[in-house]
Amino acid sequence: MKIKKAVIPVAGLGTRFLPATKAQPKEMLPVVGKPAVQYIVEEAVQAGIESIIFVTGKNKKSIEDHFDKSTELERMLEEKGKIAQLKEVQSISSMANIYYIRQKEPLGLGHAVLCAKQFIGDDPFAVLLGDDIMISKPPAIKQMMNVYERTGVPIVGVQQVPLADVSKYGIINPSNKKDDVYHIHDLIEKPDLEQAPSNLAILGRYILNPSIFPILETIERGAGNEIQLTDGLRHVCKKDGLMAIELQGNRYDIGDQLGYTKAIAEIGLQRPELRSKLLTYFDQLLKNEYQKKELIK
Ligand code: UTP
C-alpha cells in the first residue's frame, strides 16, 4: 500500500539548543538559506507524500507562517521584479497539503505521534522528525517506503553510530540481514555500552501503521516521564514484527549544537556557489590552527 501521509512532530522544547530556542523553534534554525524543517518537508514531498501534519506546540507559529502563502511579500517581490525569489517563496506554500495539530504539553515523541491519530485514520504513514535532516538519493523516507510497500511490515531507519554514542539513541537488536534490511528482534532506548545489542541506532524516520495508536494510548510513561515512541515500537515488534533499513545518506541532528554546525559546513560545501570559497576558507582555518599548535609546542 502506498504511503501518502506523513507526521512531522515539532513540539519539543529544544532544551539542548538554548538559548537559541528560547523564543524560536529549533526546526526553523537556518541551514544554508532555508530553515531545517524545509529540508524535511522537501524529503517527504520528493518521496511522494501528499499530506503532512505538523504536531506543533507553543512558540512554533513561525513554522505555520513559513509554509503559508505570504500575500504581501509576494506582491512586493512582484512589484520589484524579483521573479526568482517570488517563485521560490510561492513554491514553499504549495509543496503539499499541510495540516497542524497542537500537542498541548510536550509529553514525549510517542504522545506527539498519537496526536495525529484522527488525521491518519486507517492508512499507513511516515514519521519524520523535525530536527533530523537526511541528505540522500533516493530520499531516506523513500528508501523505507520501498521496503514497506513490498512487505507491509512497519520499519525504522537506522545507521551505525560510534560505540561511544549508543547511549544517546534507541538501539536495535537485529537479525536476518538481507540487502541492508534487518528483522528486529528487540530494541532498547539509550542503553549503556555494555547492554547495547548493536551500534545500529534508530534515526528520525519511521513507517508505521495505525496499530501503533492503541499501544501509545495505553503504555506507561517511560524515560523522562514521557510517552516514548521507542517503548511503543517494542510492543509493535513483539506483536506484529518490525523491520529496520540501514539508510544510505548523511544525517544531521540539528537539535544538537555539533550536529547543527556540521550540517551547515557539509550542506554549504554541496552548494556550487559556496563550495570553492568555503574550501579555501577551511584550508586557511586549518593552517592557522596547525600554526597555533606548533607555537604552543
Ligand atoms: P527531541 O527529543 O530531539 O526534541 O525530539 P526536544 O525534546 O525538543 O529536544 P531537547 O532534548 O529538549 O533538546 C525529536 C523531535 O520530536 C519532537 C521535537 O520537536 C523534535 O522535532 N517532539 C519531542 C515533540 O513533537 N513532542 C515532544 O513531546 C517531544
Side-chain angles (χ1 to χ4, degrees):
M1 189 174 183
K2 291 240 179 266
I3 314 281
K4 295 285 174 202
K5 291 180 179 172
V7 179
I8 305 185
V10 291
L13 298 177
T15 50
R16 285 172 295 156
F17 224 128
L18 284 168
T21 49
K22 184 168 175 241
Q24 65 170 337
K26 65 177 162 184
E27 296 83 3
M28 285 299 289
L29 291 172
V31 178
V32 197
K34 52 188 174 185
V37 70
Q38 190 177 327
Y39 287 87
I40 290 144
V41 170
E42 286 170 354
E43 177 189 332
V45 171
Q46 279 162 18
I49 296 287
E50 291 170 0
S51 301
I52 293 172
I53 189 161
F54 279 105
V55 182
T56 72
K58 288 189 180 65
N59 287 336
K60 303 283 176 168
K61 190 173 171 297
S62 57
I63 298 177
E64 293 181 42
D65 292 340
H66 184 71
F67 291 102
D68 199 2
K69 193 171 163 61
S70 181
T71 317
E72 255 176 52
L73 177 64
E74 286 180 25
R75 196 182 315 121
M76 188 274 282
L77 290 171
E78 195 168 8
E79 279 167 12
K80 295 201 166 170
K82 299 192 169 183
I83 303 307
Q85 283 106 321
L86 174 66
K87 289 208 167 120
E88 190 166 10
V89 163
Q90 285 172 332
S91 74
I92 297 169
S93 55
S94 54
M95 274 194 283
N97 301 316
I98 298 191
Y99 303 82
Y100 299 89
I101 187 157
R102 236 0 220 255
Q103 184 187 22
K104 293 186 184 113
E105 278 178 275
L107 294 178
L109 181 56
H111 181 258
V113 170
L114 184 55
C115 292
K117 181 182 166 189
Q118 300 295 331
F119 170 81
I120 294 300
D122 296 329
D123 301 321
F125 61 102
V127 178
L128 300 92
L129 296 195
D131 58 355
D132 244 342
I133 296 181
M134 284 291 307
I135 304 290
S136 60
K137 264 190 194 148
I141 202 73
K142 181 70 182 159
Q143 297 172 37
M144 299 170 64
M145 284 156 73
N146 291 344
V147 180
Y148 181 86
E149 281 161 16
R150 226 174 45 230
T151 63
V153 178
I155 181 161
V156 297
V158 297
Q159 274 187 343
Q160 299 198 29
V161 295
L163 286 173
D165 288 344
V166 289
S167 61
K168 295 182 191 160
Y169 295 94
I171 299 290
I172 64 162
N173 185 354
S175 61
N176 302 344
K177 183 182 181 192
K178 195 173 170 238
D179 301 332
D180 286 344
V181 177
Y182 301 86
H183 285 270
I184 299 182
H185 185 61
D186 199 1
L187 45 153
I188 173 166
E189 181 68 10
K190 300 191 172 73
D192 293 335
L193 180 54
E194 305 77 56
Q195 291 175 320
S198 73
N199 68 336
L200 290 166
I202 303 176
L203 308 179
R205 299 290 181 275
Y206 312 79
I207 305 281
L208 303 173
N209 59 43
S211 67
I212 187 86
F213 294 125
I215 295 171
L216 293 174
E217 274 165 339
T218 48
I219 54 170
E220 307 262 306
R221 292 195 188 197
N225 201 27
E226 292 183 344
I227 298 173
Q228 296 288 352
L229 185 59
T230 311
D231 293 342
L233 291 174
R234 287 194 81 187
H235 285 74
V236 172
C237 183
K238 297 227 155 66
K239 207 166 139 253
D240 305 324
L242 183 65
M243 297 175 97
I245 177 169
E246 203 166 340
L247 292 171
Q248 304 301 319
N250 294 337
R251 175 252 180 181
Y252 307 98
D253 175 7
I254 64 96
D256 168 80
Q257 308 223 8
L258 180 61
Y260 177 70
T261 314
K262 283 181 181 172
I264 291 178
E266 291 185 30
I267 294 173
L269 279 175
Q270 287 163 20
R271 292 272 289 265
E273 73 279 21
L274 298 176
R275 185 175 169 81
S276 72
K277 285 181 186 154
L278 268 178
L279 281 173
T280 312
Y281 171 70
F282 287 145
D283 193 38
Q284 192 56 52
L285 204 64
L286 284 175
K287 279 187 189 136
N288 293 348
E289 288 300 315
Y290 283 130
Q291 269 172 11
K292 268 191 227 161
K293 271 193 191 157
E294 288 299 313
L295 288 175
I296 290 167
K297 270 187 203 163

